[in-house]
């Protein structure tokens, strides 16, 4: 816990990351090195002077709105089951350079590189800032039931998957009233999936990547996890009914509207 112990401000985020990593592993959503997460910590977590000797690593594109920010990320090629036990050895603290064109890795943690999905994480964090949103955490994981659902062509669109998942359980529309952003199958780790994800994030906090998994943004990683868990619950109910030999009936439009109206009244 060397660098986590040295800078106390990091500990809550690292503990949160470890706790969520454990959930993902126990859910069976984190095979091998699957999944990644990040938390934007702001600009005061560590005195940037301690990084002055660290190597500057160039980024393929600039993220000017992230200049000077610290981010804690899951490490490249790490396992969630290991991150859960030893966050200091499986996470990476980075500091984005002054113009957002490069980053430095905090030296005590320099043996671990950030997740290979770093460009997608940075693009999303920058977009959240541009849009004035309060979310600072990002989680991507491979949710079995949701991936299975996107193996069924008729549910591979935003409207059809919203209606299906909302209809399985009242809490889905209660806690995810804006529905789900849907990204049709796209090669992982590419600029194309990052761009489609940024578009899908407009007005949404949780996204489904067809045949791949889920991505959520939240004020912290627990909030990200909860949103994904709600979708998993709904997808699970759909398949439980199907496995029992009948199709889930779903809720009626009137029943869904009734919950929407309660939600709106409480805003
Ligand atoms: Zn993935």
């Amino acid at each position: 816990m060397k660098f986590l112990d040295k800078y106390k401000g990091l500990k809550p985020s690292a503990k949160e990351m470890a706790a969520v990593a454990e959930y993902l592993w126990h859910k069976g959503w984190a095979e091998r090195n699957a999944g990644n997460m990040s938390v934007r910590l702001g600009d005061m977590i560590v005195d940037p002077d301690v990084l002055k000797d660290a190597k500057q690593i160039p980024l393929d594109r600039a993220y000017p709105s992230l200049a000077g920010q610290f981010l804690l990320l899951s490490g490249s090629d790490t396992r969630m089951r290991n991150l859960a036990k030893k966050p200091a050895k499986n996470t990476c603290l980075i500091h984005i350079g002054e113009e957002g064109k490069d980053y430095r890795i905090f030296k005590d943690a320099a043996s671990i590189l950030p997740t290979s999905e770093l460009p997608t994480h940075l693009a999303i964090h920058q977009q959240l800032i541009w849009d004035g949103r309060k979310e600072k955490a990002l989680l991507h994981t491979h949710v079995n039931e949701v991936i299975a659902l996107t193996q069924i062509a008729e549910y591979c669109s935003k409207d059809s998957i919203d209606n299906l998942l909302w209809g399985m359980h009242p809490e889905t529309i209660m806690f995810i009233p804006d529905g789900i952003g849907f990204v049709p199958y796209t090669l992982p780790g590419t600029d194309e999936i990052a761009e489609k994800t940024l578009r899908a994030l407009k007005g949404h906090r949780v996204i489904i990547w067809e045949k791949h998994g889920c991505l959520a943004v939240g004020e912290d990683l627990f909030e990200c996890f909860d949103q994904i868990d709600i979708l998993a619950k709904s997808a699970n109910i759909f398949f439980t009914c199907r496995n029992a030999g009948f199709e889930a009936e779903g809720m009626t439009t009137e029943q869904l509207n009734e919950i929407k109206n309660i939600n709106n009244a409480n805003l």
Side-chain angles (χ1 to χ4, degrees), residues 39-53:
V39 182
R40 199 167 77 245
L41 300 164
D43 57 2
M44 296 294 286
I45 197 78
V46 176
D47 180 351
D49 276 355
V50 301
L51 286 158
K52 64 180 187 300
D53 297 328

Side-chain angles (χ1 to χ4, degrees), residues 82-95:
N82 294 336
L83 201 165
K85 288 191 193 117
K86 294 185 176 171
K89 288 192 181 302
N90 294 279
T91 57
C92 181
L93 175 67
I94 68 166
H95 182 250

Side-chain angles (χ1 to χ4, degrees), residues 207-254:
I207 287 172
I208 292 176
W209 283 345
E210 182 185 326
K211 299 184 179 76
H212 182 161
C214 294
L215 182 146
V217 295
E219 291 188 47
D220 57 36
L221 288 168
F222 294 120
E223 192 178 277
C224 298
F225 174 81
D226 283 341
Q227 290 172 87
I228 293 174
D229 198 29
I230 287 169
L231 295 190
K233 173 103 178 179
S234 276
N236 211 318
I237 293 167
F238 170 82
F239 285 113
T240 301
C241 294
R242 200 168 255 203
N243 291 343
F246 66 97
E247 288 296 319
E249 194 174 68
M251 290 160 65
T252 65
T253 306
E254 290 70 29

Side-chain angles (χ1 to χ4, degrees), residues 31 33-36 117 140-142 188 209 212-214:
E31 76 286 357
N33 61 330
N36 39 71
E117 293 290 348
H140 162 59
T141 188
H142 296 174
W209 283 345
H212 182 161
C214 294

Side-chain angles (χ1 to χ4, degrees), residues 27-229:
K27 284 277 189 184
W29 299 346
E31 76 286 357
R32 199 179 180 278
N33 61 330
N36 39 71
M37 45 187 151
S38 63
V39 182
R40 199 167 77 245
L41 300 164
D43 57 2
M44 296 294 286
I45 197 78
V46 176
D47 180 351
D49 276 355
V50 301
L51 286 158
K52 64 180 187 300
D53 297 328
K55 193 175 139 198
Q56 280 185 321
I57 302 170
L59 290 161
D60 286 343
R61 59 174 66 181
Y63 302 91
S65 298
L66 294 177
Q69 296 261 323
F70 282 92
L71 288 101
L72 186 68
L73 300 113
S74 51
S76 172
D77 207 29
T78 54
R79 275 51 172 165
M80 289 296 164
R81 59 182 184 267
N82 294 336
L83 201 165
K85 288 191 193 117
K86 294 185 176 171
K89 288 192 181 302
N90 294 279
T91 57
C92 181
L93 175 67
I94 68 166
H95 182 250
I96 308 289
E98 278 178 17
E99 294 177 19
K101 290 179 181 165
D102 51 61
Y103 68 95
R104 285 179 292 185
I105 300 176
F106 186 68
K107 61 184 174 184
D108 286 0
S111 58
I112 297 276
L113 294 171
T115 167
S116 56
E117 293 290 348
L118 178 68
T120 305
H121 281 251
L122 295 181
I124 291 172
H125 280 292
Q126 178 162 268
Q127 190 69 46
L128 292 171
I129 291 173
W130 284 344
D131 293 344
R133 291 173 61 162
K134 53 192 176 185
E135 294 96 346
K136 291 184 173 165
L138 169 56
L139 170 63
H140 162 59
T141 188
H142 296 174
V143 183
N144 304 344
E145 303 90 328
V146 173
I147 297 168
L149 205 54
T150 65
Q151 299 287 344
I152 304 170
E154 71 176 289
Y155 299 122
C156 287
S157 74
K158 173 172 169 49
D159 286 347
S160 60
I161 210 155
D162 271 349
N163 285 322
L164 178 83
L165 294 176
W166 278 338
M168 291 299 109
H169 192 258
E171 299 220 340
T172 309
I173 196 162
M174 204 173 279
F175 291 110
I176 309 181
D178 300 323
I180 303 141
F182 186 80
V183 174
Y185 180 79
T186 306
L187 189 65
T190 57
D191 284 346
E192 192 186 352
I193 200 168
E195 280 162 24
K196 287 181 180 174
T197 302
L198 290 183
R199 282 201 294 275
L201 261 181
K202 297 274 180 193
H204 298 112
R205 290 177 300 149
V206 60
I207 287 172
I208 292 176
W209 283 345
E210 182 185 326
K211 299 184 179 76
H212 182 161
C214 294
L215 182 146
V217 295
E219 291 188 47
D220 57 36
L221 288 168
F222 294 120
E223 192 178 277
C224 298
F225 174 81
D226 283 341
Q227 290 172 87
I228 293 174
D229 198 29

